[in-house]
Amino acid sequence: MVVIAPGWIMDVERGPDWLIVALRSEHDSEWDTPPLAETVWQLVEQNFTYRLVLDLSQVQMLHTAIVGQLVHLQKRLAMHDGCLRVCGLSERNHDILRTCRLDGFMPHYRDRNEAVLGNSSDVGGRLNKPR
């Protein structure tokens, strides 16, 4: 299902116990995009699952505003015993998370399958197990 939120286009898939959301910006620059966390949170609640994979392969650059929204979303999910896993990060976006020291806070994976299974090593070298 495709969801269009102000400034964002989200391809949403429902898997067993997981919600998978692929993000892309409607704008040429994600810098101009509106807040993300509340829109994704509404999707999570509508689908009755607090386990979320965000596919960021179409996001050109994780600006600080987007990173802040991801942190907010991660904390909100954790308060409901949920989890957030990200996948599809470009090398540049991975470097941004690492620079912000969030690469350990937000598990990231190569693709959606690895994120759902949680069976590959993240960049920090730890083995991530599914919940």
Side-chain angles (χ1 to χ4, degrees):
M1 151 178 64
V2 175
V3 175
I4 299 178
W8 294 99
I9 298 171
M10 301 178 197
D11 296 318
V12 181
E13 292 178 36
R14 175 70 197 234
D17 299 324
W18 287 91
L19 188 65
I20 302 167
V21 178
L23 296 175
R24 63 183 188 271
S25 174
E26 285 186 329
H27 306 291
D28 290 336
S29 166
E30 282 97 12
W31 188 253
D32 299 326
T33 56
L36 175 67
E38 189 60 37
T39 302
V40 174
W41 181 254
Q42 289 171 2
L43 287 172
V44 165
E45 287 194 317
Q46 288 169 359
N47 284 277
F48 303 107
T49 184
Y50 296 99
R51 300 172 83 186
L52 175 67
V53 173
L54 283 181
D55 182 341
L56 302 177
S57 59
Q58 305 252 344
V59 175
Q60 298 298 312
M61 185 170 175
L62 288 177
H63 295 284
T64 54
I66 297 172
V67 171
Q69 290 292 302
L70 294 177
V71 169
H72 178 71
L73 187 58
Q74 169 78 318
K75 289 179 179 179
R76 205 163 179 186
L77 287 164
M79 288 182 358
H80 287 83
D81 293 325
C83 66
L84 170 66
R85 295 179 181 167
V86 296
C87 69
L89 289 174
S90 67
E91 190 62 36
R92 180 167 108 181
N93 285 340
H94 179 252
D95 287 344
I96 290 168
L97 281 185
R98 189 178 314 124
T99 300
C100 296
R101 297 183 182 199
L102 294 173
D103 53 335
F105 177 70
M106 219 171 290
H108 46 283
Y109 299 83
R110 184 177 30 221
D111 58 37
R112 295 173 184 197
N113 290 333
E114 285 187 3
V116 168
L117 295 174
N119 65 353
S120 70
S121 296
D122 70 5
V123 176
R126 295 181 308 272
L127 190 63
N128 290 310
K129 306 252 187 232
R131 292 177 50 145

